[in-house]
Amino acid sequence: GRLLDHLNQRGMAEETLVVYTVDNGGCVPDWADNGPLAGSKYHLMEGGTRVRTFVKMPGVLPEGRGHEGVFSCLDLAPTICELVGVATERGAFDGRSQLAELKGERKADPNRTLHWDTGWQWSVRMGDWKLLVTTNENRARSSANFEQVDVRFGTHLYNLAEDPGEEHNLAAQRPDLVDMLTERHRAWRASLTTAEQD
């Protein structure tokens, strides 16, 4: 509040983009409550990866409007570049500009795909679907003990629009989606390896 007051008092609010976000969900041992989302800071459940983000720029971004799609912190740099008119080369950022979505000029991509990988657990989200795979159960148990939360073992598929708390594993009912999202994640990992070698 003091920061916004400062901008208003100096007549800078209309020309300042304010972004409020955090890098991960709350840490349960530090008294965080991520409900109704499951998980904690060091996990790939939604409670560890989904956070609120507020973006404000009067006169440029409409007030009181929600972003309907998936927005990643990776999108901040290209969004700011477009906002201030800085041209960027294609592929310069891992994220993409969300300026048109924030202005309400374009609908969010319903099949936007994002990946996470901790080395012992990975997930891929495409639109409302999320595949979560734990590959090292010993590490998962250790992390669960430290974080005081439940960790899902094996392969889990969730429809986040219908089940944001990730309570209903649909992997057995939708093996087609499990295979497709697994292949997308493999391709993403391979692209990182290629980029690292270049």
Side-chain angles (χ1 to χ4, degrees), residues 12-30:
M12 300 166 59
E14 299 286 326
E15 58 191 32
T16 303
L17 174 69
V18 176
V19 179
Y20 178 86
T21 191
V22 295
D23 60 345
N24 48 250
C27 184
V28 171
D30 292 336

Side-chain angles (χ1 to χ4, degrees), residues 127-170:
D128 292 332
W129 290 101
K130 175 179 176 182
L131 179 65
L132 173 70
V133 178
T134 301
T135 56
N136 184 326
E137 291 195 8
N138 288 333
R139 179 69 194 273
R141 282 191 184 88
S142 173
S143 182
N145 183 52
F146 174 76
E147 282 286 295
Q148 303 169 15
V149 294
D150 177 39
V151 173
R152 313 288 162 82
F153 300 113
T155 300
H156 295 259
L157 179 71
Y158 302 105
N159 183 316
L160 297 177
E162 299 173 2
D163 181 24
E166 296 169 286
E167 298 176 7
H168 308 289
N169 183 5
L170 303 175

Side-chain angles (χ1 to χ4, degrees), residues 74-139:
L74 297 171
D75 300 330
L76 285 174
T79 299
I80 292 169
C81 285
E82 183 180 0
L83 177 66
V84 299
V86 173
T88 59
E89 294 181 15
R90 183 175 171 87
F93 297 103
D94 288 329
R96 62 174 73 155
S97 175
Q98 298 277 332
L99 186 59
E101 287 84 349
L102 290 171
K103 287 182 171 183
E105 298 171 351
R106 178 175 62 210
K107 290 192 173 186
D109 178 358
N111 293 314
R112 173 90 189 268
T113 303
L114 293 173
H115 302 266
W116 292 262
D117 198 320
T118 67
W120 59 272
Q121 188 176 63
W122 61 264
S123 66
V124 55
R125 177 173 177 175
M126 184 187 75
D128 292 332
W129 290 101
K130 175 179 176 182
L131 179 65
L132 173 70
V133 178
T134 301
T135 56
N136 184 326
E137 291 195 8
N138 288 333
R139 179 69 194 273

Side-chain angles (χ1 to χ4, degrees), residues 45-86:
M45 303 295 290
E46 291 295 285
T49 59
R50 186 190 298 196
V51 298
R52 293 276 185 202
T53 298
F54 299 93
V55 183
K56 177 180 177 69
M57 190 170 192
V60 176
L61 303 178
E63 295 185 22
R65 185 179 179 282
H67 185 289
E68 299 299 322
V70 177
F71 189 103
S72 167
C73 284
L74 297 171
D75 300 330
L76 285 174
T79 299
I80 292 169
C81 285
E82 183 180 0
L83 177 66
V84 299
V86 173

